[in-house]
Amino acid sequence: MQFPAACGILKPVTSLLAEATGGIAVEKVRVRFAPSPTGKLHIGGARTALFNWLFARHTGGTFVLRIEDTDLERSTQASVEQIIASLKWLGLDWDEGPEIGGEYGPYFQSQRLHLYEDKAQELIEKGLAYLCYCTPEELEAKREEARRAGRPPRYDGHCRNLSEEECAKLAAEGRQPVIRFKVPETGETVVEDLIRGRVVFQNSLLDDFVLIKSNGMPTYNFACVVDDHAMGLTHIIRAEEHLSNTPRQVLLYQALGYEVPKFAHVPMILAPDRSKLSKRHGATSVEEFREQGYLKEAIINYLALLGWSPEGTEEILPLERIVKEFSLERISKNAAIYDVKKMTWINGHYLRELPLERIVTEALPFLKNAGLIGEEPTEEELRLAKESIALTRDRAKTLVELADGVSYFFKDDFTYDEKGVQKHFAPEGTAERLRKARERLVSVEPFDAATIETAYRTLADELGVKAAELIHPTRLAVSGRTIGPGLFELMALLGQEKCLTRLDRAIRFIEAGLPAAGQAEDAPQA
RNA sequence: GACCCUAUGGUCAAGUGGUUAAGACAUCGCCCUUUCAAGGCGGUAACGGGGGUUCGAAUCCCCCUAGGGUCACCA
């Protein structure tokens, strides 16, 4: 009578049991990421991979990588390599799959064709599937007709009951048949989804879909079911776009006498305009974000937060904590819009919090790319890179920004920021003040931040000006910029010689006459 | 069009019948300060609409609306 109450009591007992047994599940979790190699690893695909990986690592299960290369036209070897490279870069390692194998291999569907063939044959023998000789053209014509008549464009079962003679005749015409699944005409198919709950589909709304194409390749729905079962997968965690396919797959599991795995359809990731994420929305692949200077930590952290949330309010979570806290129960149901700004903020966080050595390693390729250091950096370049990154990384949000932010430490031929020139070089007496500063700098010993600062502040006092009036023009003179690290640290790293040279250059620049640009000063120094 | 999913600030989100409806990003202001960041403090900003159920609904039910997904010999 009081079932709900009984369940309420039972639940804790079972979870206590699981705890008591050290979390050893009755059935070991096996999940997979199954991309089709038709492009780079998409941010949405990356998150699906991440959730599967997290679930496997959280439960101590197995994470399988399977390549769904049954689309001969669109699949490429280059894509396989790119996807694998991106997964590796993100640190999403697999326990079974390409490159490492496993007892359920091969892990490329194109190498498992005999399996699908066998299973399709089995279904035909059981009377649950049949050969269909309709050509794509004929089917398209029928769909068109149905559309015009306002009927749903479903396959009409034309070849469902062909006799052997009819088959032979059609085959003699040179027609290559496909194999179709006989979908029950009545009843309903239930998908029990861990995230969506119970979703019911009417079988009458499904048509006899194709299992094996005329070229002998299996279709997605068929290969997926055959493999997910053959590979012993327990949970199918995939994007919501597959939810509508799932009743077909459930029907196949039943027809083949397979146990149906648990499904979890995670919400989609959408572009800012709420449409499906695509190239026109800028960077969408892991590789592109990497090129733009995002760290894997930031991408993983951000992706984990898209559609899943931890119990507390902390959002900056190291991987180990995400693994520890991850659960399917806390995955949300609604689609999420991809917000690069937040990921950029997270990236900035990791840029300043991760060990310096790590950031230097990550930044080096970007410095090379910007032409700041050579392919084989010298000791001196490496030292300067490390020191300048230490000073600059707090203010950068990406590695690209970071490389730009340290550029003047490596290059002398920078130009002066235009607004900065108007603001800090134009005022009367600037050249003279810089000349005084230069003179003072010559005798600064040692040339470290504290000593330089003392010299500057003393000089400012002697000249009766605010330190800022010395500091700003100097910053512009030695870095070409109005923003950057603390000036005295910056100068110390730059070294005495370069500082003097750059001050000389700035003095010459000012005395050569500033380019006219409206009023040089609208706020006379009070 | 049919079917399916979803609906809390601009965005990500917490919330599971009783809360002043968290937090984060973004944004605005102030503080700190040689600049820019970072950091600190504070502000603006939300339960799509309509019906129910209930003493009481962001939370449960129905309808509408909106967005998304699927309807291929793509996956």
Side-chain angles (χ1 to χ4, degrees):
Chain A
M1 240 147 287
Q2 293 300 326
F3 286 131
C7 289
I9 291 165
L10 272 170
K11 221 171 181 180
V13 171
T14 48
S15 55
L16 274 177
L17 216 67
E19 249 166 74
T21 54
I24 295 167
V26 195
E27 180 184 43
K28 201 181 176 216
V29 166
R30 286 181 59 85
V31 292
R32 47 71 166 181
F33 176 53
S36 58
T38 57
K40 296 172 181 178
L41 181 62
H42 206 263
I43 213 69
R47 197 204 41 178
T48 301
L50 174 64
F51 280 9
N52 274 285
W53 184 90
L54 286 171
F55 188 59
R57 295 294 171 260
H58 177 84
T59 57
T62 304
F63 178 55
V64 178
L65 176 62
R66 181 177 73 219
I67 305 296
E68 308 217 327
D69 54 349
T70 55
D71 183 344
L72 267 15
E73 272 82 56
R74 300 199 301 149
S75 299
T76 65
Q77 182 58 32
S79 293
V80 173
E81 285 161 17
Q82 267 171 335
I83 289 168
I84 285 180
S86 288
L87 287 172
K88 279 185 182 171
W89 179 70
L90 288 171
L92 302 181
D93 57 327
W94 49 98
D95 307 304
E96 292 174 24
E99 298 186 352
I100 59 173
E103 55 181 308
Y104 296 86
Y107 293 90
F108 287 80
Q109 290 190 323
S110 60
Q111 293 168 24
R112 305 168 61 84
L113 301 182
H114 60 282
L115 221 195
Y116 314 126
E117 190 59 43
D118 288 353
K119 292 299 162 188
Q121 230 14 271
E122 183 184 318
L123 288 176
I124 290 178
E125 279 156 25
K126 283 195 203 163
L128 297 171
Y130 59 93
L131 263 31
C132 167
Y133 289 88
C134 296
T135 64
E137 294 74 33
E138 287 168 348
L139 294 171
E140 184 47 45
K142 279 184 192 174
R143 270 196 292 271
E144 191 46 46
E145 193 187 315
R147 261 193 291 272
R148 264 186 286 112
R151 293 196 311 269
R154 303 172 51 240
Y155 176 68
D156 62 1
H158 178 268
C159 299
R160 210 174 191 180
N161 299 305
L162 292 181
S163 65
E164 270 182 45
E165 296 78 59
E166 287 170 308
C167 284
K169 199 176 138 206
L170 290 162
E173 289 176 23
R175 291 175 183 243
Q176 287 296 317
V178 300
I179 299 177
R180 283 185 188 273
F181 181 64
K182 248 182 221 179
V183 173
E185 288 166 272
T186 57
E188 54 189 36
T189 298
V190 176
V191 175
E192 295 285 358
D193 190 278
L194 261 20
I195 295 171
R196 320 257 148 206
R198 181 186 171 89
V199 186
V200 182
F201 296 84
Q202 294 302 317
N203 292 337
S204 58
L205 263 16
L206 270 24
D207 61 1
D208 290 353
F209 55 94
V210 173
L211 264 24
I212 302 284
K213 305 182 233 175
S214 57
N215 67 0
M217 298 299 272
T219 57
Y220 162 72
N221 281 313
F222 189 52
C224 192
V225 168
V226 170
D227 283 342
D228 284 343
H229 176 265
M231 295 183 175
L233 299 167
T234 57
H235 296 70
I236 307 303
I237 305 170
R238 64 192 4 167
E240 193 197 331
E241 57 186 316
H242 293 294
L243 184 55
S244 301
N245 278 317
T246 308
R248 288 179 238 276
Q249 297 193 5
V250 169
L251 251 13
L252 285 174
Y253 279 105
Q254 292 166 349
L256 289 163
Y258 295 162
E259 186 187 346
V260 181
K262 299 218 177 347
F263 293 105
H265 287 92
V266 306
M268 306 272 299
I269 294 178
L270 269 25
D273 62 359
R274 301 203 66 86
S275 69
K276 213 168 167 178
L277 214 47
S278 73
K279 315 97 234 148
R280 77 190 154 85
H281 296 111
T284 54
S285 69
V286 171
E287 189 180 282
E288 285 169 293
F289 282 115
R290 181 184 184 178
E291 284 166 0
Q292 289 188 7
Y294 288 88
L295 299 162
K296 67 173 184 180
E297 283 83 352
I299 296 179
I300 295 273
N301 196 152
Y302 178 66
L303 248 26
L305 258 23
L306 257 199
W308 173 82
S309 62
E311 272 190 50
T313 58
E314 283 175 272
E315 304 211 333
I316 297 288
L317 300 169
L319 230 210
E320 311 78 65
R321 277 207 41 205
I322 301 177
V323 168
K324 196 162 169 245
E325 297 182 23
F326 187 78
S327 75
L328 261 22
E329 290 72 42
R330 293 193 66 85
I331 293 180
S332 75
K333 296 183 192 173
N334 36 343
I337 291 175
Y338 193 79
D339 180 21
V340 190
K341 282 203 182 127
K342 183 154 184 176
M343 185 170 79
T344 304
W345 171 76
I346 294 178
N347 203 54
H349 171 87
Y350 283 108
L351 228 34
R352 75 185 89 93
E353 296 298 330
L354 253 20
L356 179 60
E357 293 299 338
R358 171 76 203 295
I359 299 303
V360 172
T361 305
E362 295 294 330
L364 251 23
F366 290 84
L367 297 196
K368 288 176 191 168
N369 211 352
L372 304 179
I373 59 176
E375 262 322 298
E376 296 296 328
T378 62
E379 282 298 311
E380 175 55 20
E381 283 177 330
L382 253 21
R383 185 195 68 84
L384 190 55
K386 184 176 172 183
E387 299 289 326
S388 61
I389 287 170
L391 287 186
T392 310
R393 65 161 163 167
D394 283 7
R395 7 186 93 69
K397 294 234 185 312
T398 66
L399 293 167
V400 169
E401 273 183 35
L402 183 57
D404 176 65
V406 299
S407 63
Y408 55 82
F409 283 104
F410 299 87
K411 294 165 75 172
D412 294 313
D413 61 344
F414 55 79
T415 55
Y416 301 115
D417 177 81
E418 260 183 63
K419 283 189 184 133
V421 168
Q422 293 308 319
K423 199 168 175 192
H424 303 303
F425 278 177
E428 199 63 32
T430 300
E432 194 46 38
R433 281 197 290 277
L434 287 181
R435 201 185 303 281
K436 290 254 170 51
R438 186 210 186 281
E439 283 166 17
R440 190 62 53 100
L441 241 26
V442 172
S443 57
V444 168
E445 173 65 36
F447 201 74
D448 61 26
T451 313
I452 300 169
E453 176 158 15
T454 304
Y456 256 68
R457 296 207 184 274
T458 307
L459 177 63
D461 276 350
E462 290 172 17
L463 296 177
V465 298
K466 286 188 290 188
E469 287 175 76
L470 240 32
I471 287 169
H472 293 309
T474 303
R475 173 187 297 285
L476 188 59
V478 299
S479 75
R481 310 189 181 201
T482 58
I483 62 170
L487 178 66
F488 307 114
E489 293 170 290
L490 187 166
M491 290 172 81
L493 176 57
L494 212 43
Q496 192 169 33
E497 197 185 317
K498 285 205 168 189
C499 285
L500 295 178
T501 312
R502 290 181 181 189
L503 280 168
D504 286 336
R505 178 186 161 203
I507 292 165
R508 282 198 305 278
F509 176 83
I510 296 170
E511 291 183 334
L514 266 26
Q519 279 71 18
E521 263 287 76
D522 37 3
Q525 69 276 57

